[in-house]
Amino acid sequence: MNEQGLSENEIFSYLENVKSEDTDYYKVLSSMCTHPHKIAVEAHRLFIEANLGDLGLFAGAHRLEREVVGMLGELLHAQSVDTQSVKIPSGESCENTVCGYLTTGGTESNIQAVRGMKNLVEAGGKNSGEIPNIVIPESAHFSFDKVANMMGIEVKRALLDSEFKVDTASVESLIDANTIGLVGIAGNTEFGQIDPIEELAKLALDNELFLHIDAAFGGFVIPFLENPQPFDFKVPGVTSIAIDPHKMGLSTIPSGALLFRSPSFLDSLKVNTPYLTTKAQFTLTGTRSGASAAATYAVMKHLGREGYRKNVQYCMQLTSKLVEEARKLGFEPLIEPVMNVVALRVPSPDLVRERLLRKFGWNVSITRNPRSLRLVLMPHNTPQDVGEFLQDLEKVTAEF
Ligand code: 0PR
Protein backbone atom coordinates (compact mmCIF):
# COMPACT_ATOMS: atom_id res chain seq x y z
CA MET A 1 0.00 0.00 0.00
CA ASN A 2 1.29 3.47 -0.81
CA GLU A 3 2.31 5.69 2.13
CA GLN A 4 0.53 8.81 0.91
CA GLY A 5 -2.97 8.79 -0.53
CA LEU A 6 -3.48 9.44 -4.24
CA SER A 7 -5.89 12.07 -5.52
CA GLU A 8 -9.40 11.16 -6.63
CA ASN A 9 -8.41 12.09 -10.17
CA GLU A 10 -5.42 9.79 -10.22
CA ILE A 11 -7.43 6.93 -8.84
CA PHE A 12 -10.34 7.34 -11.23
CA SER A 13 -8.20 7.73 -14.30
CA TYR A 14 -6.54 4.44 -13.32
CA LEU A 15 -9.89 2.77 -12.59
CA GLU A 16 -11.36 3.87 -15.89
CA ASN A 17 -8.35 2.52 -17.68
CA VAL A 18 -8.63 -0.79 -15.96
CA LYS A 19 -12.38 -0.94 -16.55
CA SER A 20 -11.74 -0.78 -20.28
CA GLU A 21 -10.27 -4.28 -19.93
CA ASP A 22 -13.68 -5.53 -18.72
CA THR A 23 -16.31 -6.62 -21.18
CA ASP A 24 -19.22 -4.33 -21.96
CA TYR A 25 -21.02 -7.54 -22.98
CA TYR A 26 -20.59 -6.80 -26.69
CA LYS A 27 -19.95 -10.12 -28.50
CA VAL A 28 -20.56 -12.04 -25.27
CA LEU A 29 -22.61 -15.18 -25.90
CA SER A 30 -21.27 -17.11 -22.93
CA SER A 31 -22.68 -15.29 -19.92
CA MET A 32 -25.78 -15.86 -17.84
CA CYS A 33 -25.40 -12.37 -16.38
CA THR A 34 -26.08 -9.14 -18.20
CA HIS A 35 -26.22 -5.37 -17.67
CA PRO A 36 -28.33 -4.73 -14.59
CA HIS A 37 -31.41 -2.59 -15.23
CA LYS A 38 -30.68 1.10 -14.56
CA ILE A 39 -33.39 1.22 -11.90
CA ALA A 40 -31.58 -1.59 -10.07
CA VAL A 41 -28.30 0.31 -10.27
CA GLU A 42 -29.89 3.45 -8.79
CA ALA A 43 -31.52 1.52 -5.96
CA HIS A 44 -28.24 -0.31 -5.30
CA ARG A 45 -26.45 3.04 -4.94
CA LEU A 46 -29.10 4.36 -2.58
CA PHE A 47 -28.62 1.41 -0.20
CA ILE A 48 -24.89 1.03 -0.73
CA GLU A 49 -24.03 0.84 2.99
CA ALA A 50 -26.94 -1.36 4.09
CA ASN A 51 -25.78 -4.52 5.86
CA LEU A 52 -28.35 -7.29 6.14
CA GLY A 53 -25.98 -9.08 8.50
CA ASP A 54 -27.27 -6.81 11.27
CA LEU A 55 -30.94 -6.47 10.47
CA GLY A 56 -31.92 -4.29 13.41
CA LEU A 57 -29.74 -1.47 12.14
CA PHE A 58 -31.11 -1.69 8.62
CA ALA A 59 -34.84 -2.13 9.10
CA GLY A 60 -35.55 -0.49 5.74
CA ALA A 61 -33.34 -2.80 3.72
CA HIS A 62 -34.73 -5.69 5.77
CA ARG A 63 -38.27 -4.68 4.76
CA LEU A 64 -37.19 -4.69 1.11
CA GLU A 65 -35.69 -8.17 1.50
CA ARG A 66 -38.98 -9.39 2.98
CA GLU A 67 -40.91 -7.88 0.09
CA VAL A 68 -38.59 -9.44 -2.48
CA VAL A 69 -38.92 -12.86 -0.84
CA GLY A 70 -42.69 -12.34 -0.90
CA MET A 71 -42.72 -11.43 -4.60
CA LEU A 72 -40.48 -14.38 -5.46
CA GLY A 73 -42.70 -16.68 -3.41
CA GLU A 74 -45.71 -15.49 -5.37
CA LEU A 75 -43.88 -15.96 -8.67
CA LEU A 76 -42.92 -19.50 -7.65
CA HIS A 77 -46.40 -20.44 -6.43
CA ALA A 78 -45.67 -20.70 -2.74
CA GLN A 79 -48.96 -21.55 -1.07
CA SER A 80 -49.42 -18.57 1.12
CA VAL A 81 -47.55 -15.37 0.64
CA ASP A 82 -48.18 -12.71 3.22
CA THR A 83 -45.54 -10.04 2.89
CA GLN A 84 -46.20 -8.91 6.45
CA SER A 85 -45.12 -12.24 7.83
CA VAL A 86 -42.70 -13.46 5.19
CA LYS A 87 -39.96 -15.19 7.05
CA ILE A 88 -36.56 -13.69 6.68
CA PRO A 89 -33.51 -14.47 8.68
CA SER A 90 -34.40 -12.60 11.84
CA GLY A 91 -35.67 -15.37 14.08
CA GLU A 92 -39.42 -14.66 13.96
CA SER A 93 -41.92 -17.41 13.42
CA CYS A 94 -43.57 -17.84 10.05
CA GLU A 95 -46.24 -20.48 9.95
CA ASN A 96 -47.87 -21.19 6.59
CA THR A 97 -45.91 -18.75 4.58
CA VAL A 98 -43.05 -18.80 2.16
CA CYS A 99 -39.73 -18.21 3.79
CA GLY A 100 -36.23 -17.65 2.60
CA TYR A 101 -33.60 -15.02 2.18
CA LEU A 102 -31.48 -13.22 -0.36
CA THR A 103 -28.18 -14.95 -1.01
CA THR A 104 -25.11 -14.01 -3.02
CA GLY A 105 -26.21 -16.26 -5.90
CA GLY A 106 -26.92 -19.80 -6.98
CA THR A 107 -23.82 -21.25 -5.35
CA GLU A 108 -24.75 -20.05 -1.86
CA SER A 109 -28.40 -21.05 -2.38
CA ASN A 110 -27.43 -24.58 -3.42
CA ILE A 111 -25.00 -24.95 -0.52
CA GLN A 112 -27.56 -23.74 2.01
CA ALA A 113 -30.35 -25.91 0.61
CA VAL A 114 -28.23 -29.04 1.08
CA ARG A 115 -27.01 -27.85 4.49
CA GLY A 116 -30.66 -27.51 5.49
CA MET A 117 -31.40 -31.08 4.35
CA LYS A 118 -28.45 -32.41 6.33
CA ASN A 119 -29.34 -30.48 9.49
CA LEU A 120 -33.00 -31.51 9.36
CA VAL A 121 -32.10 -35.18 8.92
CA GLU A 122 -29.63 -34.99 11.81
CA ALA A 123 -32.15 -33.17 14.02
CA GLY A 124 -34.78 -35.77 13.18
CA GLY A 125 -32.46 -38.53 14.41
CA LYS A 126 -32.68 -40.18 10.99
CA ASN A 127 -28.94 -40.15 10.54
CA SER A 128 -27.76 -43.71 10.04
CA GLY A 129 -24.19 -42.88 11.00
CA GLU A 130 -23.09 -43.47 7.41
CA ILE A 131 -22.13 -40.66 5.02
CA PRO A 132 -25.34 -39.01 3.81
CA ASN A 133 -25.81 -38.57 0.07
CA ILE A 134 -27.82 -36.54 -2.38
CA VAL A 135 -28.68 -37.49 -5.95
CA ILE A 136 -28.21 -34.75 -8.54
CA PRO A 137 -28.34 -34.74 -12.36
CA GLU A 138 -25.05 -35.15 -14.19
CA SER A 139 -25.80 -31.74 -15.69
CA ALA A 140 -25.78 -30.00 -12.28
CA HIS A 141 -23.76 -26.84 -11.85
CA PHE A 142 -20.27 -27.17 -10.35
CA SER A 143 -21.50 -25.48 -7.17
CA PHE A 144 -22.54 -29.00 -6.09
CA ASP A 145 -18.87 -30.04 -6.19
CA LYS A 146 -18.37 -27.39 -3.50
CA VAL A 147 -21.28 -28.87 -1.53
CA ALA A 148 -19.62 -32.29 -1.61
CA ASN A 149 -16.29 -30.87 -0.58
CA MET A 150 -17.57 -28.65 2.24
CA MET A 151 -20.19 -30.77 3.88
CA GLY A 152 -18.91 -34.32 3.87
CA ILE A 153 -21.85 -35.35 1.76
CA GLU A 154 -21.59 -37.80 -1.07
CA VAL A 155 -22.93 -36.35 -4.30
CA LYS A 156 -24.24 -39.01 -6.67
CA ARG A 157 -24.76 -38.07 -10.30
CA ALA A 158 -27.67 -39.49 -12.23
CA LEU A 159 -27.52 -40.05 -15.99
CA LEU A 160 -29.27 -37.82 -18.48
CA ASP A 161 -31.70 -38.95 -21.14
CA SER A 162 -31.27 -38.20 -24.85
CA GLU A 163 -32.73 -34.72 -24.32
CA PHE A 164 -30.32 -33.89 -21.48
CA LYS A 165 -33.03 -34.14 -18.83
CA VAL A 166 -32.18 -36.24 -15.81
CA ASP A 167 -33.22 -39.86 -16.27
CA THR A 168 -35.52 -40.59 -13.32
CA ALA A 169 -34.85 -44.33 -13.53
CA SER A 170 -31.17 -43.54 -12.97
CA VAL A 171 -32.08 -41.25 -10.05
CA GLU A 172 -34.20 -44.01 -8.53
CA SER A 173 -31.42 -46.56 -8.88
CA LEU A 174 -29.04 -44.30 -6.94
CA ILE A 175 -31.35 -43.74 -3.96
CA ASP A 176 -30.28 -45.78 -0.92
CA ALA A 177 -30.74 -45.77 2.86
CA ASN A 178 -28.34 -42.82 3.24
CA THR A 179 -29.96 -40.59 0.63
CA ILE A 180 -31.32 -37.41 2.17
CA GLY A 181 -32.42 -35.45 -0.87
CA LEU A 182 -32.70 -35.03 -4.60
CA VAL A 183 -31.89 -32.08 -6.83
CA GLY A 184 -33.66 -31.11 -10.04
CA ILE A 185 -32.57 -28.34 -12.38
CA ALA A 186 -34.99 -25.95 -13.98
CA GLY A 187 -32.78 -24.52 -16.69
CA ASN A 188 -29.47 -26.34 -16.63
CA THR A 189 -26.34 -24.32 -17.23
CA GLU A 190 -25.15 -26.04 -20.37
CA PHE A 191 -28.32 -26.90 -22.30
CA GLY A 192 -31.03 -24.73 -20.72
CA GLN A 193 -33.02 -27.93 -20.25
CA ILE A 194 -35.63 -28.49 -17.53
CA ASP A 195 -35.58 -31.78 -15.60
CA PRO A 196 -38.86 -33.71 -15.18
CA ILE A 197 -39.64 -32.01 -11.88
CA GLU A 198 -43.01 -33.71 -11.33
CA GLU A 199 -41.45 -37.18 -11.67
CA LEU A 200 -38.60 -36.21 -9.37
CA ALA A 201 -41.13 -34.88 -6.87
CA LYS A 202 -42.99 -38.18 -6.93
CA LEU A 203 -39.74 -40.02 -6.23
CA ALA A 204 -38.98 -37.59 -3.41
CA LEU A 205 -42.41 -38.03 -1.82
CA ASP A 206 -42.39 -41.83 -2.19
CA ASN A 207 -38.95 -42.04 -0.56
CA GLU A 208 -39.50 -39.23 2.00
CA LEU A 209 -36.66 -37.13 0.60
CA PHE A 210 -36.15 -33.41 0.23
CA LEU A 211 -36.24 -32.00 -3.30
CA HIS A 212 -34.26 -28.88 -4.10
CA ILE A 213 -34.81 -27.16 -7.46
CA ASP A 214 -31.94 -25.20 -8.92
CA ALA A 215 -33.74 -22.50 -10.90
CA ALA A 216 -30.84 -20.06 -10.59
CA PHE A 217 -31.10 -19.31 -14.31
CA GLY A 218 -34.58 -20.62 -15.18
CA GLY A 219 -36.44 -18.95 -12.31
CA PHE A 220 -36.74 -15.66 -14.18
CA VAL A 221 -37.31 -17.38 -17.54
CA ILE A 222 -39.70 -20.34 -17.20
CA PRO A 223 -42.62 -18.43 -15.57
CA PHE A 224 -42.57 -16.06 -18.55
CA LEU A 225 -42.50 -18.64 -21.34
CA GLU A 226 -45.67 -19.32 -23.32
CA ASN A 227 -46.32 -22.79 -21.90
CA PRO A 228 -44.31 -22.98 -18.70
CA GLN A 229 -43.54 -26.46 -17.40
CA PRO A 230 -44.32 -27.04 -13.73
CA PHE A 231 -41.10 -26.64 -11.77
CA ASP A 232 -41.85 -24.71 -8.60
CA PHE A 233 -43.82 -24.97 -5.33
CA LYS A 234 -46.95 -25.75 -7.36
CA VAL A 235 -45.46 -29.25 -7.57
CA PRO A 236 -46.05 -31.08 -4.26
CA GLY A 237 -42.76 -32.47 -3.03
CA VAL A 238 -40.58 -29.50 -4.04
CA THR A 239 -39.05 -28.32 -0.74
CA SER A 240 -36.69 -25.52 -1.78
CA ILE A 241 -35.84 -23.39 -4.81
CA ALA A 242 -32.78 -21.35 -5.82
CA ILE A 243 -33.54 -18.38 -8.12
CA ASP A 244 -31.07 -15.66 -9.10
CA PRO A 245 -32.15 -12.07 -9.66
CA HIS A 246 -28.62 -11.28 -10.89
CA LYS A 247 -29.08 -13.49 -13.95
CA MET A 248 -32.31 -13.08 -15.95
CA GLY A 249 -33.82 -11.01 -13.09
CA LEU A 250 -31.74 -8.03 -14.32
CA SER A 251 -30.66 -7.06 -10.81
CA THR A 252 -27.17 -6.19 -9.61
CA ILE A 253 -24.52 -8.69 -8.49
CA PRO A 254 -24.66 -10.26 -5.87
CA SER A 255 -28.37 -11.10 -5.92
CA GLY A 256 -29.52 -14.66 -5.39
CA ALA A 257 -32.44 -16.05 -3.45
CA LEU A 258 -33.26 -19.26 -1.63
CA LEU A 259 -36.89 -20.07 -0.85
CA PHE A 260 -38.26 -22.85 1.34
CA ARG A 261 -41.68 -24.39 1.43
CA SER A 262 -41.50 -24.83 5.17
CA PRO A 263 -40.11 -22.61 7.94
CA SER A 264 -38.49 -25.63 9.60
CA PHE A 265 -36.00 -25.68 6.74
CA LEU A 266 -34.85 -22.14 7.44
CA ASP A 267 -34.85 -22.82 11.18
CA SER A 268 -32.45 -25.70 10.60
CA LEU A 269 -29.87 -23.17 9.38
CA LYS A 270 -30.06 -21.10 12.55
CA VAL A 271 -26.94 -19.92 14.32
CA ASN A 272 -27.20 -17.81 17.48
CA THR A 273 -25.80 -14.31 17.28
CA PRO A 274 -25.70 -13.20 20.92
CA TYR A 275 -24.47 -9.62 20.53
CA LEU A 276 -26.29 -8.49 17.37
CA THR A 277 -29.56 -6.60 17.10
CA THR A 278 -31.19 -9.93 16.21
CA LYS A 279 -30.76 -13.16 18.12
CA ALA A 280 -30.07 -15.48 15.21
CA GLN A 281 -28.71 -15.65 11.70
CA PHE A 282 -29.79 -18.14 9.04
CA THR A 283 -27.48 -17.09 6.25
CA LEU A 284 -24.15 -18.49 5.09
CA THR A 285 -22.43 -15.14 4.96
CA GLY A 286 -22.49 -12.76 7.92
CA THR A 287 -22.22 -9.24 6.55
CA ARG A 288 -24.28 -9.12 3.37
CA SER A 289 -25.49 -6.57 0.90
CA GLY A 290 -28.72 -4.70 1.50
CA ALA A 291 -28.04 -2.87 -1.76
CA SER A 292 -28.83 -6.08 -3.65
CA ALA A 293 -32.18 -6.33 -1.87
CA ALA A 294 -33.02 -2.75 -2.84
CA ALA A 295 -31.88 -3.31 -6.44
CA THR A 296 -33.94 -6.47 -6.79
CA TYR A 297 -36.99 -4.85 -5.20
CA ALA A 298 -36.71 -1.89 -7.57
CA VAL A 299 -36.31 -3.86 -10.80
CA MET A 300 -39.04 -6.38 -9.94
CA LYS A 301 -41.51 -3.63 -9.06
CA HIS A 302 -40.53 -1.57 -12.12
CA LEU A 303 -40.73 -4.35 -14.70
CA GLY A 304 -43.60 -6.32 -13.25
CA ARG A 305 -44.60 -9.60 -14.89
CA GLU A 306 -45.19 -7.76 -18.16
CA GLY A 307 -41.63 -6.40 -18.27
CA TYR A 308 -40.07 -9.79 -17.56
CA ARG A 309 -42.35 -11.44 -20.13
CA LYS A 310 -41.08 -8.97 -22.76
CA ASN A 311 -37.50 -9.61 -21.70
CA VAL A 312 -37.92 -13.37 -22.05
CA GLN A 313 -39.78 -12.97 -25.37
CA TYR A 314 -36.90 -10.88 -26.69
CA CYS A 315 -34.28 -13.45 -25.68
CA MET A 316 -36.38 -16.30 -27.08
CA GLN A 317 -36.74 -14.47 -30.41
CA LEU A 318 -32.95 -14.14 -30.59
CA THR A 319 -32.70 -17.84 -29.76
CA SER A 320 -35.12 -18.84 -32.55
CA LYS A 321 -33.33 -16.58 -35.04
CA LEU A 322 -29.98 -18.12 -34.14
CA VAL A 323 -31.24 -21.69 -34.45
CA GLU A 324 -33.13 -21.04 -37.68
CA GLU A 325 -30.14 -19.43 -39.39
CA ALA A 326 -27.64 -21.92 -37.98
CA ARG A 327 -29.75 -24.69 -39.53
CA LYS A 328 -29.44 -22.98 -42.93
CA LEU A 329 -25.67 -23.28 -42.49
CA GLY A 330 -26.07 -26.96 -41.67
CA PHE A 331 -25.61 -26.76 -37.88
CA GLU A 332 -28.22 -28.48 -35.74
CA PRO A 333 -28.86 -27.77 -32.06
CA LEU A 334 -28.45 -30.74 -29.69
CA ILE A 335 -32.01 -30.12 -28.49
CA GLU A 336 -34.78 -27.79 -29.58
CA PRO A 337 -34.02 -24.89 -27.16
CA VAL A 338 -36.35 -24.78 -24.17
CA MET A 339 -35.04 -21.43 -23.02
CA ASN A 340 -32.45 -18.92 -24.23
CA VAL A 341 -29.53 -21.36 -24.27
CA VAL A 342 -28.44 -23.11 -27.47
CA ALA A 343 -26.04 -26.05 -27.72
CA LEU A 344 -24.94 -26.16 -31.34
CA ARG A 345 -23.34 -29.18 -33.00
CA VAL A 346 -20.33 -27.91 -34.93
CA PRO A 347 -17.17 -29.67 -36.11
CA SER A 348 -14.23 -29.36 -33.63
CA PRO A 349 -16.09 -27.13 -31.15
CA ASP A 350 -12.97 -26.33 -29.09
CA LEU A 351 -11.08 -25.07 -32.13
CA VAL A 352 -14.12 -23.17 -33.37
CA ARG A 353 -14.45 -21.49 -30.02
CA GLU A 354 -10.80 -20.50 -29.95
CA ARG A 355 -10.93 -19.09 -33.50
CA LEU A 356 -14.19 -17.23 -32.93
CA LEU A 357 -12.48 -15.42 -30.08
CA ARG A 358 -9.10 -14.86 -31.67
CA LYS A 359 -10.29 -13.83 -35.13
CA PHE A 360 -13.60 -12.14 -34.40
CA GLY A 361 -13.74 -11.41 -30.67
CA TRP A 362 -16.75 -13.64 -29.87
CA ASN A 363 -16.98 -15.16 -26.39
CA VAL A 364 -18.73 -18.51 -26.52
CA SER A 365 -18.43 -21.58 -24.33
CA ILE A 366 -18.45 -25.34 -24.74
CA THR A 367 -20.70 -28.03 -23.29
CA ARG A 368 -18.86 -30.91 -21.59
CA ASN A 369 -20.65 -34.00 -22.84
CA PRO A 370 -21.01 -34.05 -25.76
CA ARG A 371 -18.82 -31.13 -26.69
CA SER A 372 -20.78 -28.51 -28.59
CA LEU A 373 -20.87 -24.73 -28.92
CA ARG A 374 -22.86 -23.26 -26.03
CA LEU A 375 -24.55 -19.92 -26.69
CA VAL A 376 -26.60 -17.95 -24.17
CA LEU A 377 -28.83 -15.30 -25.73
CA MET A 378 -29.14 -12.50 -23.21
CA PRO A 379 -30.76 -9.03 -23.22
CA HIS A 380 -27.40 -7.48 -24.14
CA ASN A 381 -27.37 -9.36 -27.48
CA THR A 382 -29.10 -7.95 -30.58
CA PRO A 383 -30.51 -9.50 -33.78
CA GLN A 384 -27.66 -7.78 -35.67
CA ASP A 385 -25.10 -9.44 -33.38
CA VAL A 386 -26.69 -12.82 -34.05
CA GLY A 387 -26.49 -12.23 -37.83
CA GLU A 388 -22.83 -11.20 -37.58
CA PHE A 389 -22.02 -14.11 -35.33
CA LEU A 390 -23.42 -16.59 -37.83
CA GLN A 391 -21.40 -15.07 -40.66
CA ASP A 392 -18.26 -15.38 -38.54
CA LEU A 393 -19.17 -18.93 -37.56
CA GLU A 394 -19.57 -19.79 -41.22
CA LYS A 395 -16.12 -18.38 -41.99
CA VAL A 396 -14.48 -20.20 -39.10
CA THR A 397 -16.09 -23.56 -39.82
CA ALA A 398 -15.33 -23.31 -43.54
CA GLU A 399 -11.69 -23.88 -42.53
CA PHE A 400 -12.50 -27.44 -41.40
N1 0PR B 1 -27.04 -23.03 -10.79
C1 0PR B 1 -27.10 -22.87 -12.13
C2 0PR B 1 -28.13 -23.65 -12.90
C3 0PR B 1 -26.23 -21.98 -12.76
O1 0PR B 1 -26.29 -21.85 -14.10
C4 0PR B 1 -25.29 -21.27 -11.98
C5 0PR B 1 -24.31 -20.32 -12.61
C6 0PR B 1 -25.28 -21.46 -10.58
C7 0PR B 1 -26.16 -22.35 -10.02
C8 0PR B 1 -24.33 -20.72 -9.68
O2 0PR B 1 -24.68 -19.39 -9.62
P1 0PR B 1 -23.67 -18.27 -9.11
O3 0PR B 1 -22.55 -18.24 -10.10
O4 0PR B 1 -24.52 -17.04 -9.11
O5 0PR B 1 -23.25 -18.67 -7.74
N2 0PR B 1 -24.28 -20.28 -13.98
C9 0PR B 1 -23.33 -19.52 -14.75
C10 0PR B 1 -22.22 -20.45 -15.24
O6 0PR B 1 -21.53 -21.09 -14.42
C11 0PR B 1 -22.71 -18.39 -14.01
C12 0PR B 1 -22.02 -17.44 -14.91
C13 0PR B 1 -22.54 -16.21 -15.18
C14 0PR B 1 -20.80 -17.76 -15.48
C15 0PR B 1 -21.90 -15.32 -15.99
C16 0PR B 1 -20.14 -16.88 -16.33
C17 0PR B 1 -20.70 -15.65 -16.58
O7 0PR B 1 -20.04 -14.75 -17.39
O8 0PR B 1 -22.07 -20.53 -16.45
Side-chain angles (χ1 to χ4, degrees):
M1 193 193 270
N2 39 297
E3 183 59 33
Q4 252 122 42
L6 301 182
S7 72
E8 213 174 305
N9 267 350
E10 282 171 301
I11 290 169
F12 278 94
S13 72
Y14 179 70
L15 291 183
E16 269 157 34
N17 234 327
V18 171
K19 192 167 159 55
S20 68
E21 293 170 25
D22 285 0
T23 181
D24 58 1
Y25 282 119
Y26 177 54
K27 293 198 168 179
V28 173
L29 288 166
S30 58
S31 174
M32 290 187 149
C33 292
T34 189
H35 299 292
H37 195 287
K38 71 178 191 329
I39 296 271
V41 176
E42 285 301 307
H44 192 109
R45 284 206 183 103
L46 191 62
F47 280 78
I48 198 70
E49 69 281 355
N51 171 16
L52 288 173
D54 199 358
L55 299 172
L57 297 184
F58 295 96
H62 184 41
R63 180 197 302 274
L64 296 178
E65 178 179 33
R66 197 158 54 222
E67 297 208 27
V68 171
V69 171
M71 285 191 279
L72 291 174
E74 223 165 43
L75 181 70
L76 300 175
H77 298 101
Q79 239 176 15
S80 147
V81 179
D82 168 4
T83 48
Q84 289 313 301
S85 60
V86 162
K87 171 87 168 189
I88 36 168
S90 66
E92 313 135 21
S93 110
C94 72
E95 286 313 310
N96 297 321
T97 182
V98 63
C99 52
Y101 76 95
L102 299 187
T103 65
T104 49
T107 300
E108 179 181 343
S109 302
N110 289 338
I111 290 171
Q112 286 282 82
V114 179
R115 191 176 147 227
M117 294 178 188
K118 188 174 176 239
N119 288 353
L120 280 173
V121 167
E122 279 170 8
K126 283 195 213 156
N127 197 346
S128 58
E130 311 267 327
I131 296 174
N133 68 62
I134 57 171
V135 182
I136 69 172
E138 207 169 60
S139 52
H141 185 256
F142 53 77
S143 44
F144 288 97
D145 296 336
K146 301 180 187 177
V147 167
N149 185 246
M150 285 169 75
M151 269 183 281
I153 278 187
E154 187 191 352
V155 173
K156 297 185 177 187
R157 286 163 206 277
L159 300 175
L160 306 184
D161 67 15
S162 58
E163 294 205 292
F164 304 100
K165 296 180 188 182
V166 75
D167 176 351
T168 45
S170 172
V171 173
E172 192 168 12
S173 73
L174 292 172
I175 296 173
D176 64 21
N178 302 314
T179 304
I180 59 171
L182 308 179
V183 172
I185 313 173
N188 60 34
T189 312
E190 291 173 283
F191 310 101
Q193 183 57 282
I194 306 171
D195 287 328
I197 305 299
E198 284 172 309
E199 287 174 44
L200 285 176
K202 189 170 178 311
L203 273 182
L205 289 172
D206 289 350
N207 292 280
E208 294 184 22
L209 300 171
F210 297 109
L211 174 59
H212 173 63
I213 304 301
D214 181 353
F217 185 70
F220 273 98
V221 179
I222 304 165
F224 306 109
L225 291 172
E226 264 167 40
N227 290 309
Q229 296 183 36
F231 75 104
D232 58 19
F233 292 118
K234 213 182 204 172
V235 182
V238 169
T239 44
S240 57
I241 304 179
I243 173 170
D244 280 358
H246 70 203
K247 296 191 168 82
M248 285 289 282
L250 307 180
S251 189
T252 53
I253 295 172
S255 299
L258 175 60
L259 272 72
F260 296 116
R261 186 188 286 278
S262 147
S264 63
F265 224 122
L266 193 58
D267 286 335
S268 76
L269 299 170
K270 184 168 158 182
V271 170
N272 291 332
T273 51
Y275 56 85
L276 292 188
T277 49
T278 47
K279 301 262 169 297
Q281 218 173 58
F282 300 75
T283 53
L284 187 62
T285 58
T287 300
R288 69 195 170 100
S289 167
S292 300
T296 304
Y297 174 86
V299 65
M300 287 186 75
K301 280 285 184 193
H302 180 70
L303 289 179
R305 284 176 192 261
E306 192 190 17
Y308 282 115
R309 204 171 297 122
K310 282 190 183 146
N311 186 50
V312 168
Q313 267 167 9
Y314 175 79
C315 296
M316 290 309 289
Q317 276 161 8
L318 290 183
T319 306
S320 305
K321 178 179 162 67
L322 189 134
V323 170
E324 215 173 281
E325 295 184 15
R327 276 199 165 114
K328 289 185 199 153
L329 300 177
F331 304 128
E332 282 294 317
L334 286 179
I335 54 165
E336 220 39 66
V338 177
M339 49 186 78
N340 45 329
V341 181
V342 180
L344 210 55
R345 239 185 250 279
V346 296
S348 313
D350 292 87
L351 276 178
V352 168
R353 176 200 194 184
E354 188 265 318
R355 288 185 194 175
L356 279 169
L357 180 63
R358 187 164 45 83
K359 294 193 166 178
F360 300 104
W362 292 104
N363 284 279
V364 301
S365 44
I366 300 285
T367 59
R368 288 170 294 183
N369 183 23
R371 295 190 86 71
S372 71
L373 222 50
R374 170 184 175 262
L375 308 161
V376 189
L377 284 305
M378 293 295 285
H380 56 253
N381 301 124
T382 66
Q384 289 77 6
D385 295 344
V386 171
E388 251 183 66
F389 169 75
L390 287 157
Q391 285 174 11
D392 294 342
L393 178 66
E394 193 180 12
K395 287 181 210 149
V396 163
T397 48
E399 296 168 13
F400 295 102

